[in-house]
């Protein structure tokens, strides 16, 4: 049995205020084949098209330019003019950035759009305090818990290691007696292979 929860998460695309560049490098944490990296490429293509080639964004997937946890700071400090990052990964700095991580609150893309419409101004105000701005937001597909064994209750989840990627998933795992482990997406395959 799979315990399922739908948690929509927005990807954070940020640009340092006032950054001027013709060729921008855009670090992303996920593999090139990941939905969010693919959307980053679509975004870069649209920017190139809409500016007539005056702004050319190169997407660097898989944490190849900066690891996931380093992307926000890289943009804030001007090491990268733009970057894409899971907003909720920074709820330890600002709880409002987890606006979409309440399980079962937004269980469809339409619900997530409504939630973003309500949260957008407040989220952008908090990001502006950090010299950042949201350029686009895209939801995650529905997510769930997957186990190697049958799970019928929280008794069956006690002591199971669980990959958490933000405060909300870590708390959810802890409440079910699991052990949350922080692993960046780019390092997930290796972490699973080594246990």
């Amino acid at each position: 049995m799979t315990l399922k929860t739908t948690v929509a998460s927005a990807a954070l695309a940020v640009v340092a205020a006032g950054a001027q560049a013709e060729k921008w490098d855009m670090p992303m944490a996920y593999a090139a084949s990941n939905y969010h990296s693919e959307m980053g490429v679509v975004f870069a293509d649209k920017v190139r098209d809409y500016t007539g080639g005056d702004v050319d964004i190169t997407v660097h997937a898989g944490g190849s330019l900066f690891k996931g946890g380093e992307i926000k700071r890289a943009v804030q400090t001007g090491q990268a003019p733009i970057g894409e990052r899971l907003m909720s990964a920074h709820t330890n700095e600002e709880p409002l950035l987890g606006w979409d991580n309440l399980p079962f609150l937004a269980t469809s893309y339409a619900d997530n759009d409504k939630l973003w419409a309500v949260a957008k101004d407040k989220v952008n105000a908090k990001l502006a305090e950090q010299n950042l701005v949201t350029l686009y937001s895209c939801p995650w597909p529905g997510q769930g818990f997957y186990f190697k064994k049958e799970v019928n209750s929280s008794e069956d989840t006690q002591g199971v290691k669980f990959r958490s990627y933000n405060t909300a998933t870590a708390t959810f795992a802890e409440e079910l007696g699991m052990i949350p482990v922080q692993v960046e997406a780019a390092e997930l395959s290796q972490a699973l292979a080594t246990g």
Side-chain angles (χ1 to χ4, degrees):
M1 175 176 154
T2 301
L3 296 176
K4 285 191 172 184
T5 181
T6 301
V7 181
S9 299
L12 175 63
V14 292
V15 61
Q20 299 292 321
E22 291 185 16
K23 293 191 179 289
W24 291 356
D25 291 312
M26 182 174 170
M28 299 186 76
Y30 303 101
S33 61
N34 180 279
Y35 167 76
H36 286 281
S37 295
E38 291 173 350
M39 291 301 101
V41 171
V42 169
F43 173 78
D45 290 344
K46 296 284 185 190
V47 168
R48 189 177 309 102
D49 290 346
Y50 294 164
T51 64
D54 288 344
V55 178
D56 185 17
I57 299 172
T58 301
V59 172
H60 297 272
S64 61
L65 196 57
F66 293 96
K67 293 183 187 291
E70 300 169 348
I71 293 172
K72 180 175 172 274
R73 179 71 57 207
V75 174
Q76 285 178 297
T77 60
Q79 295 173 292
I82 187 171
E84 193 265 4
R85 180 66 174 146
L86 180 68
M87 238 187 248
S88 67
H90 298 285
T91 55
N92 59 327
E93 299 171 27
E94 174 52 58
L96 184 59
L97 297 181
W99 63 272
D100 64 339
N101 267 194
L102 299 173
F104 313 110
L105 182 61
T107 59
S108 69
Y109 289 123
D111 289 348
N112 192 76
D113 284 344
K114 291 175 189 173
L115 185 58
W116 177 235
V118 171
K120 185 177 184 176
D121 290 343
K122 290 180 175 75
V123 169
N124 281 328
K126 284 293 180 186
L127 291 173
E129 292 172 7
Q130 299 179 33
N131 198 33
L132 300 170
V133 62
T134 304
L135 297 178
Y136 72 88
S137 174
C138 58
W140 280 96
Q143 299 177 47
F145 292 130
Y146 301 93
F147 296 91
K148 291 181 180 179
K149 63 180 186 175
E150 186 173 328
V151 173
N152 294 304
S153 73
S154 61
E155 289 179 14
D156 299 325
T157 62
Q158 301 300 305
V160 173
K161 286 185 181 178
F162 174 80
R163 185 243 174 177
S164 64
Y165 53 85
N166 61 24
T167 304
T169 55
T171 300
F172 207 88
E174 288 170 346
E175 292 296 320
L176 289 172
M178 294 188 281
I179 303 166
V181 179
Q182 178 72 36
V183 179
E184 287 293 335
E187 300 161 356
L188 187 56
S189 295
Q190 181 181 355
L192 291 173
T194 60

